[in-house]
Amino acid sequence: MGLLGGGKGGCFVGGVRSLIRRKQVDSAHSNPSSSAATSHHQLAKALTVPHLIAIGVGSTIGAGVYILVGTVAREHSGPSLTFSFLIAGIAAALSAFCYAELASRCPSAGSAYHYSYICVGEGVAWLIGWALILEYTIGGSAVARGISPNLATLFGGPNSLPAFLARHTIPGLDVVVDPCAAILVFVVTGLLCVGIKESTMVQGFVTTANVCAMIFIIVAGGYLGFKTGWPGYELPVGYFPYGVDGMLAGASTVFFAFIGFDSVASTAEEVKNPQHDLPMGIGFALSICCSLYMLVSAVIVGLVPYYAMDPDTPISSAFASHGIKWAAYIITVGACTALCSTLMGSLLPQPRILMAMARDGLLPSFFSDVNKHTQVPVKSTVTTGLLAGTLAFFMDVEQLSGMVSVGTLLAFTMVAISVLILRYVPPDEVPLPSSFQVAIDSVSQRLSESSSSTDINVENTEVPVVSFDDATPLLDGVPVTHPHVEKAAVRFSFFIDQRRKVAGWTIMFTCIGVFMLTSAASILSLPGIHLSVRATSTYCLHSHQFLLVN
């Protein structure tokens, strides 16, 4: 019985340790000299800064911006909506900096899952991985179901699509199927299977059309504003009708319009120079999105007073109020291209996350296979496309969309914590660039060959005196087994262990303090919890709200 109890206790302890164990380093995939890297698990190194900007901007700018302008201006910010976008952009930039640092230091597929596995542990990484899978699957399905009504608007009306593309209701089941959404998902899936460079180029063209539509809104709206005298800013209540609190409340809502730049981090393993290109791509993409959001909001709230805005079609109604009804078609084209680009941005990261989890043994090895011709995880991509297409065809994902933001916020939180851990409590083996790893391996091999061919006399070896200005390496000519070196190594190891413990406890207490602070804010019924719920529902359902356009 004692042995049995000890066995159960040992199994329990072993299980807990397996949940908190951290990945040493992704050297098996970052080191080009390894056998795994030269086999079928190698992705194509084809992406540069322009490709990353196209992915980031295309994944971030969705149709939600065409809705958020009216909703937030009416309920929260008023004419100060531009400052709300600026504050939200600064908050998003802080998260983007965390992603940029981790992506450049740990350039591998998996995004937040990969960082959590290296910095926090296997159990948290497993949860983050499934949260990201849920986020991208449900988000992609929701976006796909929002495309067909907007396409119908371009062709003349809600019932103008052909019968095989239009929505139908299954008799007796009260289920509305959307063939157009499923077909679009399958087309995007096939495009992603062709190759990362080819799919990114197509996404770049679609994103360019969306950006051109937003530039039209800025230029044409600016001309109308200067012509009419900006009636939206000539208000007796001033620039802050709801006060500074209203502006901050609007910032908490429009923050979710910046979500999407994390898709860039999932392609880290396919970037030619990740240490340089990933931070540049994430930074430029977020800057472009923030600039476009601020300019569009500044123009629209100046054309129409905030209280007179249409919450469903704010931009179209603003142009229509000045006699330019044909602008609604350009705005609808921009919305369609935005939804298509967001759909591609939702389906692109998920196969990489499945592949990363399969590499670590958390999923079957089936998902880790990479096609040798296209250098894309085709099996994972097809599985993702089939699942998302099925959901888009059969299910109204409106009730499930709230879980998308839950996964996003959880991933952002873990990425911020991972930055602290990687800096102050790093894993036993620090992630290094592949070029550094090759150099270290070559030096280690030469030292092992020299030590095996030459007998070193430890007793007669003199320890060189090295000053801080000396360019000679500290251990040059001193065997690793020398007594003085061993004593210094023990002291240094003890100092490092103490520093790691202090840093680890500090990070843990900081996280607990932040959690208690947010919990206290919720209990006291401060605006934070109300605004987060409103922000979640506003952003996650942007594709469904846009069905009311025109």
Side-chain angles (χ1 to χ4, degrees):
M1 293 295 293
L3 293 175
L4 183 60
K8 289 183 179 180
C11 293
F12 176 76
V13 173
V16 173
R17 289 181 178 177
S18 65
L19 291 177
I20 62 176
R21 65 185 176 190
R22 298 190 290 176
K23 185 191 298 185
Q24 297 293 319
V25 67
D26 206 20
S27 57
H29 309 295
S30 62
N31 188 358
S33 62
S34 64
S35 59
T38 57
S39 65
H40 59 284
H41 290 298
Q42 181 67 20
L43 297 175
K45 295 280 187 179
L47 299 182
T48 57
V49 174
H51 298 102
L52 298 178
I53 294 176
I55 294 174
V57 175
S59 302
T60 302
I61 299 181
V65 67
Y66 297 93
I67 301 297
L68 291 177
V69 171
T71 304
V72 178
R74 284 176 59 94
E75 299 181 3
H76 299 300
S77 301
S80 63
L81 177 62
T82 305
F83 285 99
S84 296
F85 273 108
L86 176 61
I87 295 173
I90 294 174
L94 298 178
S95 298
F97 291 155
C98 297
Y99 270 96
E101 177 174 345
L102 291 172
S104 59
R105 295 185 66 177
C106 313
S108 182
S111 185
Y113 158 78
H114 177 65
Y115 313 144
S116 300
Y117 205 157
I118 289 178
C119 300
V120 182
E122 183 177 296
V124 174
W126 186 82
L127 293 176
I128 294 294
W130 283 107
L132 292 175
I133 291 173
L134 179 66
E135 170 192 349
Y136 291 124
T137 303
I138 302 298
S141 302
V143 169
R145 288 188 70 95
I147 296 177
S148 55
N150 293 280
L151 290 177
T153 302
L154 291 177
F155 288 99
N159 300 320
S160 59
L161 286 178
F164 70 95
L165 294 178
R167 290 183 175 181
H168 301 281
T169 302
I170 299 178
L173 298 179
D174 195 22
V175 175
V176 179
V177 296
D178 193 341
C180 182
I183 292 174
L184 287 172
V185 171
F186 295 148
V187 170
V188 172
T189 301
L191 181 61
L192 293 176
C193 292
V194 173
I196 183 64
K197 190 173 184 179
E198 291 77 7
S199 59
T200 304
M201 290 180 62
V202 174
Q203 188 175 20
F205 287 122
V206 177
T207 302
T208 302
N210 181 25
V211 172
C212 289
M214 298 186 72
I215 292 176
F216 166 79
I217 296 172
I218 296 169
V219 175
Y223 172 76
L224 291 175
F226 283 109
K227 185 178 179 180
T228 58
W230 300 105
Y233 290 118
E234 297 179 355
L235 300 174
V237 293
Y239 197 72
F240 299 91
Y242 297 101
V244 178
D245 293 340
M247 181 188 66
L248 296 177
S252 67
T253 303
V254 301
F255 172 79
F256 292 91
F258 290 91
I259 294 176
F261 60 84
D262 53 329
S263 299
V264 179
S266 64
T267 62
E269 198 171 328
E270 297 160 282
V271 180
K272 291 183 179 180
N273 186 8
Q275 280 74 27
H276 174 269
D277 293 348
L278 281 170
M280 297 284 287
I282 294 176
F284 278 123
L286 192 61
S287 300
I288 293 172
C289 295
C290 186
S291 300
L292 291 175
Y293 287 160
M294 292 178 64
L295 291 173
V296 169
S297 62
V299 168
I300 297 304
V301 297
L303 291 179
V304 181
Y306 70 94
Y307 54 81
M309 280 188 177
D310 189 339
D312 298 322
T313 60
I315 300 178
S316 300
S317 60
F319 280 92
S321 64
H322 290 80
I324 308 180
K325 296 182 179 181
W326 54 267
Y329 291 97
I330 298 178
I331 296 170
T332 306
V333 169
C336 291
T337 55
L339 288 170
C340 292
S341 182
T342 306
L343 176 61
M344 295 183 65
S346 298
L347 297 181
L348 175 65
Q350 186 172 338
R352 277 79 183 164
I353 297 173
L354 293 174
M355 182 185 66
M357 296 180 70
R359 283 174 172 177
D360 298 329
L362 300 181
L363 286 177
S365 59
F366 167 85
F367 295 103
S368 65
D369 292 338
V370 177
N371 188 275
K372 63 180 180 180
H373 298 293
T374 62
Q375 293 183 288
V376 170
V378 174
K379 296 180 180 179
S380 299
T381 304
V382 171
T383 304
T384 299
L386 291 175
L387 180 59
T390 303
L391 289 176
F393 181 76
F394 285 106
M395 298 181 63
D396 184 5
V397 294
E398 182 175 352
Q399 296 180 351
L400 297 177
S401 296
M403 303 178 69
V404 175
S405 289
V406 175
T408 302
L409 293 175
L410 183 60
F412 279 20
T413 303
M414 293 313 304
V415 167
I417 296 175
S418 297
V419 170
L420 295 175
I421 294 176
L422 191 61
R423 284 188 178 186
Y424 302 106
V425 196
D428 296 334
E429 186 177 353
V430 179
L432 295 175
S434 57
S435 58
F436 292 176
Q437 189 65 41
V438 173
I440 292 174
D441 293 341
S442 62
V443 172
S444 300
Q445 183 177 2
R446 284 185 295 175
L447 288 176
S448 61
E449 292 176 355
S450 62
S451 62
S452 60
S453 59
T454 306
D455 294 332
I456 301 176
N457 190 352
V458 177
E459 295 180 357
N460 298 327
T461 302
E462 296 182 358
V463 180
V465 179
V466 182
S467 63
F468 290 100
D469 297 331
D470 195 353
T472 306
L474 183 61
L475 298 180
D476 188 15
V478 183
V480 179
T481 57
H482 195 278
H484 295 290
V485 175
E486 291 183 352
K487 187 175 181 180
V490 170
R491 291 181 178 178
F492 183 74
S493 176
F494 177 77
F495 171 76
I496 293 297
D497 291 340
Q498 294 299 319
R499 178 180 178 275
R500 288 167 63 96
K501 290 181 180 179
V502 173
W505 283 105
T506 303
I507 294 173
M508 186 185 70
F509 284 125
T510 301
C511 295
I512 294 175
V514 171
F515 176 76
M516 294 177 63
L517 180 63
T518 54
S519 300
S522 303
I523 294 174
L524 294 176
S525 300
L526 292 179
I529 186 66
H530 173 71
L531 295 177
S532 63
V533 174
R534 180 179 293 274
T536 300
S537 60
T538 300
Y539 176 75
C540 293
L541 305 181
H542 70 274
S543 59
H544 299 283
Q545 293 173 339
F546 201 79
L547 307 185
L548 302 176
V549 172
N550 297 328

